[in-house]
Amino acid sequence: MSQFNQGHDTAGLQSIKLDRRQLLRAAAMSAGSLMIPMTLSGCASNVPKGSFDDSMRPNAWLEITPENRFYLTLDRVEMGQGTYTGMATILGEELDVSPERFLLNFAPVGDDYKQPEYGLQITGGSSSVSSNWQRLRRAGAEGRAMLKEAAAKVWNVDVSSVQTDNGDCIHPRTQQRLSYGELVGIAQSISLKSEPELKTQDQFKYIGKQRVRLDAHAKTFGKAVFGIDIEKEDLLFAVISRPEILGGKVGSFNDAAARQSSGVVAIFEVPRGIAVVAKSYWQARKAQEKLEINWVPGEMGLLSSADISALYQQKLADEKGSSIRDDGDWDDAVDAAADVFEATYTAPFLAHATMEPMNCTAWLTKGECHVWAPTQGPDIARALAVKESGLSHDDVHIHTTYIGGGFGRRLSQDYVAEAVSVARHVDKPVKVIWSREEDMTNDPYRPATQHQLSATFDAAGKLTGWKHKLAGPRIIDYFARDAVGAMVPTWVPQMMVNGLSKVAPGYAPDESPVEGAADLPYAIDAVDVRYVHADAGVPVSYWRSVGHSQNGFVVESFIDELAIKSKQDPAAFRRSLLSAHPRHLGVLDAVLAASQWGANKTTSTGEKIYQGVACHKSFNTYVAQVIDITADGNQFKVHRVYCATDCGLVVNPDVVQAQMEGGIIFALTAALYGEITLKDGRVQQSNFHDYKALRMDEVPEIIVEVLASNESPTGVGEPSVPPVAPALANAIYAATGKRLRSLPLRLDV
Amino acid sequence: MKFTVNGKEMSFTGDEETPLLWVIRDEFDLKGTKFGCGKGLCGACTVHLNGSAIRSCVTPVGALANLSVTTIEGIGSAEHPHPLQAAWQALNVPQCGYCQPGQLMSASALLAANPSPTDDDINTAMSGNICRCGTYPRIKKAIHLASDAMAKSVDLAVEVKA
């Protein structure tokens, strides 16, 4: 069990609306008349065995030893989003223990640790705080109530007279004090008669105040253990040559020269390509260079970006699409319109480009399979390791680590499956490491999409109708293939799981392509949102803010176009259509004030500043941004990003601040540079020279305001991403009169 | 092949083309230095060679005879952190944390050469280090904070604890 005495970080990313029951029902029906019981995960499963025999382990998240060590078993993964600090703050609040006192265990795969809304043990959808807010508070309150009862027993006093103070029980009248550790022996046998009451907001000591980031220490001294840092005795290293052609396969290969290379242990074919195992990573790479492989194209042939764009265009022209939202009557709005305004928007494929390239260590030994993986979905990883190893679930153990950037990439478990497929061929632990080039060219990408927008105006110039028809793939079709293995009960035979994984994709619902489009907040009489399924076969996945990443850009750019067409100030125009949405208005007004919207600002050298605004809700968190730029010909410079957010009650103010900053910079990278293109079946970008990331000298000043709120807390890992591209596009329009409707935003093409 | 790492003499007998990165990580078990791009483009592998920041992923170990390498493990400890490490904690700089050892090595080389850097100096020295989490604004603040503390001989580590 990993134990770190400091830790925490930012992760957060996906919207996975996978209705487990619906998926299983559909899959079971289509697979014949298989009956799959719908066992729901929850609190019924066993409390995991504590790491110390004499400790108190009242529930799956908390362990207290007699020596006053406090362990948090973290059921979400820490990838930078700060969930370690967040969860320790929530648990510590109700237990009455300072968050900094918690030591960290990463959770094993277990039903208790599933994200309840998804039915999977995944970290995504900016959901860790919202989904654990109640259950971790209850977990802490339960521990505290048991300890108070134990103290009351020892002192022979009424439990209502026992108070707590950061890890101690105290009896004020008699001035007695016992540490939680001293009470563990008695407390662990106490069974509570009723569920303890939770604190009220005015009683919070740590929530809203905790400022120390618990993983900052380990990460400042190079001590945090990421997946790539796993060390084992006799560890071998593997690299895999994967198809250079997207969807391609190995035709033939010659490894005669590679086998002679120094340090090589074995070379063999695995489902993903040709694996080279050597005593060191460098030896594996040197040998790999000597491999001769003939690749043959797969079903996709030699796909290029232009083909995909043409496919989307064709589908949008030919198909009506499925209706996602239908307010009022769009056709009537068109008939009655004095003016119909149309525009087409596009968004490209994007790579995740996490700083820690994909890697995974696997070891098949003594009838067991151990996997060490930086993964956002350990239960899906386990399902794939079961499939690849042929072992039972009980014999497969997934050990999670700190994650060097997730952004959704590590929800796909392809890198785990292939590591196990390699480990089957060797009798020692083996670490598969991807090069940056392999990582970038074999990513499951953020989907490329195409959007047709139309708006109607009446004779008085009033906006009467909005139509948004979009085309793109469904992420669930790729995700469900692997996820289904973690959703069915573990006794379901592998053959049946394999069958389900083939049929599940087409049946599982997927809201992600239309999120941020379907929930258009603006008050418009006729709203028609349609989705056209268009999939060229390029593997896709969740990418920080998912469908909001495209739809936020499209919706918040087009509404700006309509404001300008209506000859209204873009901010005032939005405000006039948001009166039913006070929280949108709240963040919008806050950012307008902070940015001195419309104040005719100049830089210190007298250059005119142009501003763009955007306002978008995602993952139940509201964010508005204003971006200040200057422009000169085809060049523009981003000077400042103002950001206001309402994420409900704030658990860790500085983590919220950091996530807003980080999401903005992540989104600026995408808005300015992000684009994965294909030519003749090959991904054209390979490393940070041609898939650029924002660097220190390009970062604008970022000013964040976090609004006070008593609403339930919501996630912050993703919501600052969607408004960036449209706010910037809107600023570019203000500066140049050029409306950029394709990402990335380039004036010179 | 002999060279010093964090003041200790180390030897490596394998392929002299092996990048220093993999030797310090896998032969010397100093895992703080990270692999990011393999082409010297991202800075995650930054270490000091005789005090200057270099990219260890593109530095063949054969070029290092009798030279002195410093890694993240060599610039400070929990008990005696480098002022930058204290500043990094004070400002909660890390998110995922993967790039931070490289960021700290670039920053510490900068402060050694230029104890009072301007924003432009920091941009120049640090623009070889990518952070996908977007911790740049805090990195810049932390470098200034450490620089100020060094100028005033303030022990940030003590300040942080207090």
Side-chain angles (χ1 to χ4, degrees):
Chain A
M1 211 169 256
S2 17
Q3 293 165 6
F4 302 98
N5 54 9
Q6 298 282 351
H8 186 77
D9 162 356
T10 295
L13 325 191
Q14 309 319 330
S15 88
I16 294 151
K17 294 282 181 192
L18 210 138
D19 184 320
R20 183 167 175 268
R21 278 161 297 181
Q22 199 175 339
L23 167 64
L24 288 176
R25 203 178 303 125
M29 274 159 53
S30 64
S33 57
L34 307 177
M35 295 300 295
I36 308 288
M38 313 294 179
T39 49
L40 288 169
S41 69
C43 345
S45 63
N46 294 332
V47 171
K49 199 172 157 229
S51 43
F52 302 95
D53 288 341
D54 51 358
S55 67
M56 169 188 177
R57 190 138 196 178
N59 49 57
W61 297 275
L62 174 63
E63 177 172 2
I64 307 171
T65 74
E67 299 79 26
N68 282 307
R69 286 199 301 271
F70 301 90
Y71 290 93
L72 159 66
T73 298
L74 185 66
D75 56 11
R76 303 280 75 88
V77 288
E78 180 55 70
M79 38 192 178
Q81 82 279 37
T83 202
Y84 170 20
T85 307
M87 298 305 117
T89 303
I90 295 170
L91 184 65
E93 182 66 66
E94 295 290 349
L95 183 64
D96 198 1
V97 167
S98 163
E100 280 131 276
R101 295 180 70 179
F102 281 100
L103 305 172
L104 176 63
N105 289 323
F106 293 120
V109 176
D111 283 349
D112 280 322
Y113 302 126
K114 287 185 175 185
Q115 202 280 15
E117 197 189 333
Y118 305 146
L120 289 165
Q121 192 173 333
I122 55 178
T123 304
S126 294
S127 66
S128 299
V129 164
S130 60
S131 65
N132 270 343
W133 171 241
Q134 289 295 336
R135 74 177 179 183
L136 270 191
R137 287 173 72 201
R138 281 202 294 270
E142 197 176 17
R144 178 165 167 265
M146 289 162 74
L147 290 155
K148 280 170 67 177
E149 296 245 10
K153 256 189 183 175
V154 172
W155 294 327
N156 197 21
V157 298
D158 191 276
V159 70
S160 65
S161 66
V162 177
Q163 295 178 10
T164 59
D165 173 31
N166 188 11
D168 291 343
C169 283
I170 51 178
H171 192 248
R173 189 172 56 80
T174 56
Q175 296 193 324
Q176 297 184 90
R177 179 180 282 262
L178 283 168
S179 73
Y180 285 1
E182 290 171 288
L183 292 164
V184 156
I186 302 163
Q188 61 187 335
S189 59
I190 283 173
S191 55
L192 296 174
K193 287 170 195 70
S194 60
E195 198 171 304
E197 269 183 40
L198 300 181
K199 287 185 181 178
T200 52
Q201 286 184 20
D202 58 309
Q203 295 172 311
F204 288 162
K205 286 164 72 173
Y206 304 113
I207 289 171
K209 301 175 183 78
Q210 173 66 22
R211 298 205 77 88
V212 174
R213 187 182 173 107
L214 302 183
D215 55 356
H217 183 273
K219 289 175 175 177
T220 294
F221 290 89
K223 299 290 183 205
V225 177
F226 297 88
I228 203 168
D229 300 328
I230 290 298
E231 188 58 62
K232 296 285 147 201
E233 204 176 331
D234 296 327
L235 181 67
L236 297 173
F237 294 81
V239 298
I240 299 175
S241 291
R242 301 171 190 82
E244 289 166 4
I245 302 161
L246 207 65
K249 293 179 174 59
V250 176
S252 60
F253 71 102
N254 177 357
D255 64 358
R259 282 183 182 277
Q260 302 306 312
S261 197
S262 164
V264 169
V265 173
I267 298 176
F268 43 85
E269 187 167 353
V270 289
R272 196 81 183 267
I274 307 297
V276 178
V277 183
K279 288 183 179 157
S280 79
Y281 174 75
W282 187 247
Q283 288 171 328
R285 281 284 168 223
K286 295 306 280 183
Q288 185 190 36
E289 287 172 9
K290 296 172 187 152
L291 277 178
E292 294 167 28
I293 307 172
N294 291 315
W295 302 106
V296 294
E299 287 170 10
M300 277 182 270
L302 300 175
L303 199 65
S304 292
S305 292
D307 304 327
I308 299 169
S309 179
L311 170 78
Y312 289 177
Q313 216 168 338
Q314 189 67 44
K315 288 243 177 194
L316 280 168
D318 292 350
E319 296 180 20
K320 286 182 70 177
S322 49
S323 175
I324 304 300
R325 178 166 162 190
D326 187 15
D327 298 357
D329 192 315
W330 166 255
D331 291 335
D332 285 357
V334 173
D335 289 345
D339 190 14
V340 180
F341 178 66
E342 294 177 337
T344 299
Y345 284 80
T346 63
F349 291 109
L350 293 175
H352 296 81
T354 62
M355 288 311 297
E356 180 189 12
M358 293 306 107
N359 66 87
C360 180
T361 301
W363 189 17
L364 269 69
T365 178
K366 298 175 189 158
E368 292 195 333
C369 174
H370 288 271
V371 172
W372 293 267
T375 173
Q376 291 179 252
D379 55 347
I380 306 171
R382 185 176 72 167
L384 289 185
V386 164
K387 182 179 169 185
E388 293 293 333
S389 67
L391 297 172
S392 74
H393 288 76
D394 289 343
D395 293 326
V396 173
H397 307 281
I398 307 294
H399 311 275
T400 58
T401 62
Y402 275 118
I403 296 181
F407 316 127
R409 170 60 182 92
R410 288 172 162 103
L411 287 161
S412 303
Q413 307 301 319
D414 52 328
Y415 61 101
V416 173
E418 66 173 27
V420 178
S421 79
V422 171
R424 284 180 62 180
H425 292 260
V426 292
D427 59 359
K428 295 190 171 71
V430 60
K431 185 190 288 182
V432 179
I433 301 176
W434 298 38
S435 67
R436 174 60 57 192
E437 289 79 6
E438 291 165 348
D439 187 285
M440 197 161 284
T441 54
N442 293 279
D443 198 41
Y445 301 102
R446 193 285 298 267
T449 53
Q450 209 171 100
H451 308 247
Q452 288 179 341
L453 275 292
S454 321
T456 56
F457 293 92
D458 67 14
K462 180 182 176 255
L463 175 62
T464 54
W466 169 287
K467 183 172 178 178
H468 183 173
K469 187 176 173 189
L470 68 107
R474 290 165 16 108
I475 294 170
I476 202 80
D477 291 344
Y478 295 85
F479 183 71
R481 288 175 196 166
D482 293 342
V484 74
M487 301 178 86
V488 298
T490 53
W491 54 260
V492 174
Q494 188 62 41
M495 238 172 56
M496 205 181 285
V497 175
N498 294 347
L500 286 170
S501 91
K502 285 200 183 84
V503 298
Y507 286 91
D510 191 355
E511 293 171 13
S512 73
V514 296
E515 60 188 5
D519 45 352
L520 179 81
Y522 298 110
I524 303 169
D525 290 343
V527 175
D528 185 0
V529 180
R530 296 182 165 272
Y531 170 65
V532 176
H533 182 230
D535 187 348
V538 178
V540 291
S541 179
Y542 304 95
W543 184 96
R544 196 173 190 172
S545 80
V546 199
H548 295 282
S549 72
Q550 302 108 342
N551 291 320
F553 166 63
V554 172
V555 166
E556 281 300 295
S557 293
F558 194 60
I559 199 75
D560 221 70
E561 295 205 61
L562 302 184
I564 287 152
K565 206 163 162 48
S566 307
K567 298 190 170 52
Q568 291 192 45
D569 171 77
F573 186 68
R574 284 176 174 79
R575 292 195 82 261
S576 71
L577 300 173
L578 284 172
S579 52
H581 294 275
R583 295 180 77 185
H584 281 85
L585 277 176
V587 291
L588 184 56
D589 286 344
V591 84
L592 293 175
S595 65
Q596 300 170 274
W597 175 261
N600 212 11
K601 296 193 289 185
T602 54
T603 65
S604 55
T605 55
E607 280 180 281
K608 180 163 172 54
I609 286 174
Y610 297 91
Q611 296 186 307
V613 64
C615 177
H616 192 82
K617 170 193 163 193
S618 60
F619 312 97
N620 296 314
T621 290
Y622 302 76
V623 178
Q625 293 168 3
V626 168
I627 298 189
D628 284 4
I629 68 165
T630 52
D632 182 12
N634 278 342
Q635 304 295 314
F636 61 89
K637 181 175 158 61
V638 181
H639 289 264
R640 246 170 252 104
V641 180
Y642 299 91
C643 173
T645 186
D646 173 357
C647 57
L649 192 137
V650 175
V651 176
N652 301 117
D654 196 55
V655 169
V656 175
Q657 172 95 21
Q659 284 309 293
M660 291 297 132
E661 294 166 3
I664 286 166
I665 291 170
F666 187 86
L668 272 176
T669 284
L672 294 170
Y673 304 128
E675 185 172 33
I676 289 288
T677 55
L678 289 165
K679 187 155 193 294
D680 300 331
R682 287 168 166 81
V683 173
Q684 292 180 287
Q685 293 72 28
S686 64
N687 207 319
F688 290 117
H689 64 293
D690 54 9
Y691 192 82
K692 292 208 275 179
L694 217 65
R695 293 172 184 269
M696 175 81 86
D697 56 338
E698 302 166 291
V699 173
E701 188 184 351
I702 298 173
I703 301 106
V704 176
E705 182 175 346
V706 182
L707 272 55
S709 168
N710 292 327
E711 301 281 342
S712 286
T714 50
V716 295
E718 299 167 271
S720 68
V721 172
V724 170
L728 180 54
N730 297 338
I732 292 170
Y733 178 83
T736 66
K738 289 181 191 158
R739 176 57 62 179
L740 300 182
R741 300 191 183 97
S742 290
L743 291 170
L745 301 172
R746 290 181 185 136
L747 272 173
D748 51 358
V749 288
Chain B
M1 179 60 48
K2 284 191 175 157
F3 52 98
T4 68
V5 177
N6 301 332
K8 259 173 72 179
E9 185 161 297
M10 306 294 272
S11 66
F12 176 71
T13 54
D15 179 1
E16 295 201 348
E17 276 185 37
T18 309
L20 172 63
L21 169 67
W22 299 106
V23 175
I24 52 184
R25 280 181 56 81
D26 294 329
E27 305 297 327
F28 304 158
D29 199 22
L30 295 167
K31 296 281 199 294
T33 306
K34 301 303 188 206
F35 169 55
C37 71
K39 296 277 171 25
L41 298 167
C42 80
C45 67
T46 305
V47 299
H48 297 172
L49 183 62
N50 283 8
S52 298
I54 60 148
R55 311 297 181 218
S56 66
C57 75
V58 289
T59 305
V61 73
L64 301 180
N66 303 319
L67 298 181
S68 163
V69 173
T70 307
T71 69
I72 183 70
E73 290 87 351
I75 63 164
S77 63
E79 298 73 34
H80 303 288
H82 189 288
L84 285 165
Q85 290 172 308
W88 246 240
Q89 291 177 79
L91 298 181
N92 288 338
V93 171
Q95 290 190 28
C96 94
Y98 193 80
C99 75
Q100 298 301 340
Q103 303 277 4
L104 281 155
M105 296 312 284
S106 289
S108 55
L110 166 66
L111 288 190
N114 177 0
S116 303
T118 62
D119 276 354
D120 283 346
D121 295 338
I122 294 173
N123 285 343
T124 304
M126 301 301 295
S127 61
N129 290 75
I130 294 176
C131 171
R132 286 284 282 151
C133 296
T135 63
Y136 301 117
R138 289 173 187 237
I139 290 173
K140 191 177 282 182
K141 274 187 209 154
I143 293 172
H144 283 306
L145 179 63
S147 162
D148 292 349
M150 287 160 75
K152 295 175 194 150
S153 298
V154 172
D155 187 345
L156 273 180
V158 174
E159 303 277 300
V160 171
K161 277 177 191 152

